Amino acid sequence: MKALEEKILREGRIRDGNILQVDNFLNHQIDAAFLMEMGDEIVRLYEGAGITKVLTIEASGIAIALAVAAKLGVPMLFAKKHKTKNINENQYKTVVASFTHGTDYDVVVSKDYLNEGDVVLVVDDFLANGNALRGLIDLIHQAGGTVAGCAIAIEKGFQGGGDALRAEGIRVESMAILDKMEDGIITFR
Amino acid sequence: MKALEEKILREGRIRDGNILQVDNFLNHQIDAAFLMEMGDEIVRLYEGAGITKVLTIEASGIAIALAVAAKLGVPMLFAKKHKTKNINENQYKTVVASFTHGTDYDVVVSKDYLNEGDVVLVVDDFLANGNALRGLIDLIHQAGGTVAGCAIAIEKGFQGGGDALRAEGIRVESMAILDKMEDGIITFR
């Protein structure tokens, strides 16, 4: 999505260690109008896929997932990162390894809202190593649902998570893929 | 908002201890189309208020705040609940006492995104004792901004937080106010 690439170049900031910071429009302050535009583009890409639900993970995936769900006219469900060891019998649970924090965490959704027969689009703001997406896909499979694919705002292509999922036959649509960040220069795929 | 009252009666579930559960449309699974309708209603109520930014708190406030911001055409900012004791100099910080968990937690926003001159609408999914709203209002005041008011999906009127804010001259618009829940019967204001 050309508009997102331009926005990253115009508004994104590159921090030490080649970290792209987009918390001015994507994951702290949020450009609501622009997210609705990304929602339109994602709906266009997945037209005819028969999606019944949008699934994301708290917290920064919620905004873009809501934009997509509103445009699609289906419910959005956000998985919760569990802090407690309480197991609720009415939850599907998976474990996600956090690249950023170096720890594992539990991710849960209520069994009431993910069902056999659901055709689910997984939406998130970032895709790096793909662990969070794999966790969400696992929850869908536990429920007996179908994965329509994934829709991501920014994919860090050089971390390989998106391509690994694609190699397994999972559809992954990213609005922008960063293939290289070197010396403050971003190269898009 | 009549449509929300009807939705609560139709889809909400009352748990032991008179707890209203609306995680099928508001704070786990989210009825995206309905949230956009609430966004329309909130925008109508605050027409002419000159709002420049919508502020909420992660995680379950993000969806309704995005709906409002998209309809208003202004950015949305979500405050983060801090787990670490790291103080970042570029953050405004406040402390919120959690009624649910019986503990205090830090709430932060980047100083980059809340400014003098901002006219801020505070949005959240629930209002009970008002502690979270007071924390967000404190962040706006630290930044030198102006509070346009608050917009809430469901206010638990019997907990008094909304009326205390109103008594202090803060505009609080709730799409539904529950004045009583007894023996599974909900009375709206």
Side-chain angles (χ1 to χ4, degrees), chain A:
Chain A
M1 191 184 176
K2 198 76 191 158
L4 178 57
E5 294 182 0
E6 288 169 358
K7 200 172 176 72
I8 291 168
L9 294 177
R10 200 172 54 239
E11 301 178 25
R13 287 172 296 182
I14 296 173
R15 297 295 185 199
D16 292 345
N18 279 317
I19 291 166
L20 175 67
Q21 198 175 341
V22 288
D23 68 359
N24 51 345
F25 68 87
L26 188 63
N27 51 13
H28 181 29
Q29 176 168 263
I30 288 173
D31 185 333
F34 190 77
L35 258 69
M36 298 308 284
E37 280 178 42
M38 283 203 281
D40 283 330
E41 174 67 7
I42 290 166
V43 167
R44 194 187 64 73
L45 288 165
Y46 277 98
E47 201 182 343
I51 292 159
T52 63
K53 195 156 286 186
V54 169
L55 178 65
T56 190
I57 183 167
E58 65 178 356
S60 55
I62 294 175
I64 183 167
L66 185 82
V68 174
K71 299 285 184 174
L72 272 176
V74 301
M76 184 269 272
L77 177 66
F78 68 88
K80 300 188 180 193
K81 294 174 184 169
H82 235 316
K83 288 126 209 157
T84 65
K85 288 284 153 202
N86 291 340
I87 303 299
N88 177 332
E89 278 185 9
N90 197 37
Q91 290 175 329
Y92 295 115
K93 192 192 94 168
T94 193
V95 179
V96 172
S98 167
F99 181 77
T100 318
H101 301 102
T103 52
D104 293 353
Y105 56 94
D106 289 350
V107 173
V108 299
V109 292
S110 166
K111 290 185 180 177
D112 291 341
Y113 310 128
L114 207 51
N115 304 297
E116 201 179 349
D118 268 328
V119 180
V120 186
L121 178 62
V122 181
V123 173
D124 210 352
D125 57 339
F126 265 99
L127 164 53
N129 58 22
N131 287 356
L133 288 192
R134 285 179 187 279
L136 294 174
I137 289 167
D138 180 36
L139 295 174
I140 297 164
H141 287 157
Q142 287 182 45
T146 304
V147 178
C150 305
I152 304 295
I154 301 177
E155 176 179 342
K156 296 177 181 170
F158 52 87
Q159 286 192 244
D163 289 334
L165 287 163
R166 290 181 187 101
E168 294 168 31
I170 292 164
R171 183 174 177 187
V172 181
E173 301 282 0
S174 297
M175 300 304 99
I177 303 178
L178 278 60
D179 263 346
K180 209 161 71 173
M181 282 202 301
E182 266 178 26
D183 306 324
I185 308 292
I186 292 172
T187 309
F188 293 107
R189 187 172 298 182

